[in-house]
Each structure stands twice: as C-alpha cells, then as structure tokens.
Amino acid sequence: MHEVSLARAVVNTVLDALKDRGIKEQRVTSITLRIGDLAQVDLESLEFAFSFATLETELESCMLIFTTKDAVVMCTTCKQQSPYSMEHFYRCELCGGACELVSGKEFDVVSIELESVGVH
Amino acid sequence: MKQLIELEDHILKKANSEALLLRETLANVGTLVINVMSSPGSGKTETISALSDELRLHGDTVAVLVGDCATDHDAQRLVSHVDWVEQIVTKGVCHLEPRMLVPYLPELLALAPRYLFIENVGNLVCPVDFDLGESIRVSLLSTTEGEDKPAKYPDLFRTCDITVISKIDLAEVVEFSELRARTFLDQVAPNTKTIKVSARTKEGVAELAQAIREVAQRSRGFETSITES
Ligand SMILES: Nc1nc2c(ncn2[C@@H]2O[C@H](COP(=O)(O)OP(=O)(O)OP(=O)(O)O)[C@@H](O)[C@H]2O)c(=O)[nH]1
Ligand SMILES: [Mg+2]
Ligand SMILES: [Zn+2]
C-alpha cells in the first residue's frame, strides 16, 4: 500500500522537474533513485507500483534504476561511526552513547535520462 | 541522442513542502502540532481524549484531526472531549499525508487552537516518513502488544520525542515487563522521553500534559503566540 504512494511521488517529482526545466519533446528513458537501507521501501513492490503509476503519463515504459546506501550511525558522545545493526540499534557499541543516523534514510531521485523524440 | 539530467530531489519533495506550509502557518497562529502514531488499538483516541480533558482544564483549546481507513467512530468518540475534531477517512491508505490535512487549514487557522493533535492511522510503518507539519511526535507502546514492538519497528519509535507506555492499568494482568520495554526503547530511541499512562485511571495524564506543555514552550511558534497574547 505504502509503495503506491511512493511510486506516485516519484512520478510527480520527475514530472515537476520536467516542467520546471521547460523540457518538452523528450522521452524519459530511465530514472535513477537512491534508496537507503532504512528507507522502508521494497524495491520490487515499488517497481510494480511504478508501472501502474506511469500509465498514460510521459513516463510510461520508463525504467527505474536503483542505487542503494548502507545505514550508518554515529555516536553523539565519542563520534565513532559504525554500521547500523539490529544488535545495537542507536546505542554506540563502544561507549553506549546515543547514536544518530548518518545515512540510510535516503530516498532521492538522483537523475533522469532523456531521449529526443520527433528529431529525425 | 541521450541526455542525463541530475535532479537530486527528495522523492517526497512535494509532500515535504506541504508539511512546511502546515508547520509555518500553524506556528504563526500559535498552534502546536502533535503527530500521534502507534499500532491499531494501542490507545491513541482514548489517550488524546484524556489528555485533552486535562489540557482544557487549564484553559487551552484543543483540535484533533483523526485518520482512519474507514468510519468516523474516533471523531464521534472525541467530540465531547475537544474543541474541534474532523475525521479523515483514508479509504484504505495506511497513513496520513500532508495533502490530506491541507483542506482543513483555513478552518484551523481561523480557530487557532493551542494544540492540534493529529491521530495517525494505526500503523507502525508507513506514517513514519510523512512529515505532517508537527513539532512533536508521540508514539504509544501499549502494555498489551508485546514489549519488543520498539525493536520490531525501530524507525517509528526513534523519531518520537515522547513514548507513552499506554494501558498501564493492564500491566499486571498481561504480565507486562516494564524493564524489557524500557531496554528496547533505550536502544532504539535513546532520546525519547517515556511516560506511563492509563487513559482509564488517568494515571500519568497530568505528567503527559506537562511534558507537552514543556515542549510547547520551547517551540518557536508557541512563544510567538505567548508574546502576542
Ligand atoms: N484498560 C484500558 N483500556 C484502554 C486504555 N486506552 C485505550 N483502551 C481501550 O483500548 C481499545 C482501543 O483504544 P483506542 O483509543 O480506540 O485505540 P486507537 O489507538 O485509537 O485505535 P485505532 O484508532 O483503531 O488505531 C478501546 O477499547 C479502549 O477503550 C487504557 O489506558 N486502559
Ligand atoms: Mg483511534
Ligand atoms: Zn560512543
């Protein structure tokens, strides 16, 4: 259910970007997304939802390319960075201090690839 | 010919800008927005009702927007405890999004309540990533749902300023281990304040109200309204 909203958000973000940049007569062939480990997105479900969200839009039959990002936490006390783990969560494995997430929640449209249409 | 265009846009850019609109305009009229998120049936409606009774005793006005997949049952339960309530029926959508709240903005700005509680759809996953313009996030962990919910759904609890251990009056019968719950909460959400509450006996309701007032006083929007009034 969640992925349907997200697929629609991807479509809106890209369509808005095309409009903002005055891009016309070009077909979007692929969209590259950056998705963090903790973004709570199932890539397969997103892909599936995306194929429906793009029906009858300029993005129909456009490809999704995923790049991922590991979840990393940093201790607010000793500044040690470590991979996020379900053993320690947001507690520092060295000093027990509270940790903050440095990366892992990314959910960005990195880039789009365009192909001219109607140019012969 | 192919051409690559860098965007670097957050996927929820549009939703986030709507959230910003809600946050800024409501802060301007001195309203503190509180997003309440927890599992279905963990006590959101009951706790908001008790909390609102307490806050209104001190002369503050309370508005509630409550989201559910179907029915207006919760709005009907809340109506006698609050100054204003509207039910958002999401028709199956498992979380609230700022666009669902925007239509109520004119009415809310005219009313300018001290507090706006947003009762999210009961769900520990999907509401997390949608900013609704809130200044405080409150989660509930009921004594009846298992002490390890924070470990199973770390993302939600991590983002909350306050975690209410709800239905504390039932702790004994369900053999709730407070130590176990606190151990998980401490790992997952080290900065969250924890308050034990029973919406039945009203244990902890005054303490919860006080905690919210304290955050309110630290929040910029609230200060604005105090200096203005
Ligand atoms: N004993 C006891 N029961 C409670 C307490 N809080 C809520 N309940 C009961 O638990 C049930 C669910 O409470 P709600 O307040 O509807 O829970 P909710 O989180 O709003 O549920 P949804 O909106 O459906 O997600 C109801 O039968 C409440 O009367 C409490 O502190 N003690
Ligand atoms: Mg409810
Ligand atoms: Zn440390």
Side-chain angles (χ1 to χ4, degrees):
Chain A
M1 194 63 238
H2 190 57
E3 275 76 6
V4 175
S5 307
L6 299 178
R8 201 166 58 186
V10 173
V11 172
N12 287 336
T13 304
V14 174
L15 291 180
D16 285 352
L18 293 177
K19 206 161 79 191
D20 289 350
R21 289 168 174 74
I23 296 170
K24 277 182 212 137
E25 317 237 311
Q26 307 239 35
R27 201 173 71 83
V28 181
T29 51
S30 71
I31 300 172
T32 302
L33 304 179
R34 183 190 301 113
I35 299 188
D37 235 16
L38 297 182
Q40 308 197 99
V41 185
D42 178 54
L43 302 188
E44 245 175 78
S45 311
L46 181 62
E47 225 164 10
F48 182 67
F50 182 78
S51 65
F52 287 98
T54 51
L55 285 179
E56 287 166 32
T57 76
E58 292 128 278
L59 305 182
E60 198 164 341
S61 79
C62 142
M63 210 172 64
L64 277 187
I65 299 169
F66 298 113
T67 61
T68 54
K69 187 109 177 148
D70 291 340
V72 174
V73 295
M74 186 177 80
C75 175
T76 52
T77 309
C78 76
K79 307 296 174 199
Q80 170 72 26
Q81 291 204 5
S82 25
Y84 172 84
S85 81
M86 286 179 212
E87 193 185 337
H88 301 285
F89 290 104
Y90 298 95
R91 280 286 173 195
C92 174
E93 35 178 300
L94 292 185
C95 78
C99 292
E100 273 168 7
L101 203 58
V102 180
S103 69
K105 289 293 287 183
E106 292 76 6
F107 197 176
D108 307 307
V109 181
V110 180
S111 60
I112 54 176
E113 196 184 50
L114 301 169
E115 190 179 60
S116 314
V117 289
V119 181
H120 298 285
Chain B
M1 203 186 72
K2 290 204 169 177
Q3 186 191 357
L4 191 78
I5 299 188
E6 302 278 327
L7 294 190
E8 288 295 344
D9 277 337
H10 194 275
I11 291 175
L12 298 177
K13 187 180 170 186
K14 185 150 176 279
N16 289 340
S17 65
E18 288 160 348
L20 188 69
L21 170 82
L22 290 166
R23 176 172 294 108
E24 289 185 346
T25 51
L26 286 164
N28 267 337
V29 297
T31 299
L32 186 88
V33 184
I34 303 131
N35 185 355
V36 184
M37 301 177 290
S38 67
S39 336
S42 53
K44 290 179 290 300
T45 306
E46 210 68 8
T47 303
I48 292 170
S49 300
L51 184 57
S52 176
D53 288 344
E54 171 73 24
L55 291 167
R56 291 172 82 210
L57 272 183
H58 294 253
D60 287 329
T61 44
V62 176
V64 180
L65 273 170
V66 50
D68 278 297
C69 289
T71 83
D72 66 349
H73 292 174
D74 283 3
Q76 285 184 31
R77 284 165 60 197
L78 283 158
V79 75
S80 59
H81 296 274
V82 301
D83 296 285
W84 182 95
V85 59
E86 285 288 343
Q87 177 81 47
I88 298 175
V89 178
T90 64
K91 298 184 179 160
V93 179
C94 52
H95 58 272
L96 290 178
E97 296 184 18
R99 66 179 166 87
M100 304 171 181
L101 277 51
V102 169
Y104 300 97
L105 196 53
E107 219 181 311
L108 283 166
L109 293 177
L111 185 73
R114 198 55 127 184
Y115 300 100
L116 169 64
F117 287 90
I118 301 170
E119 180 183 331
N120 223 306
V121 179
N123 183 327
L124 289 173
V125 182
C126 307
V128 180
D129 294 317
F130 289 92
D131 181 357
L132 301 178
E134 70 271 15
S135 296
I136 315 183
R137 282 191 165 194
V138 176
S139 53
L140 279 72
L141 169 63
S142 61
T143 54
T144 54
E145 69 187 290
E147 298 91 344
D148 59 350
K149 280 292 172 295
K152 289 180 175 173
Y153 303 92
D155 238 44
L156 183 131
F157 290 93
R158 178 181 70 92
T159 64
C160 289
D161 308 282
I162 298 173
T163 293
V164 170
I165 300 184
S166 63
K167 308 193 188 180
I168 199 70
D169 57 299
L170 299 178
E172 239 177 81
V173 270
V174 295
E175 295 177 20
F176 170 76
S177 162
E178 188 181 332
L179 177 67
R180 206 163 163 253
R182 282 190 189 274
T183 305
F184 287 124
L185 270 173
D186 177 70
Q187 271 193 314
V188 164
N191 300 318
T192 295
K193 186 179 171 69
T194 308
I195 301 174
K196 293 188 279 182
V197 172
S198 166
R200 275 285 178 288
T201 67
K202 316 294 177 208
E203 174 185 343
V205 172
E207 192 191 341
L208 178 58
Q210 188 51 32
I212 285 176
R213 267 187 226 110
E214 274 164 23
V215 186
Q217 272 148 17
R218 282 201 302 273
S219 116
R220 209 162 52 85
F222 203 83
E223 276 167 20
T224 313
S225 89
I226 288 172
T227 46
E228 273 170 9
S229 59

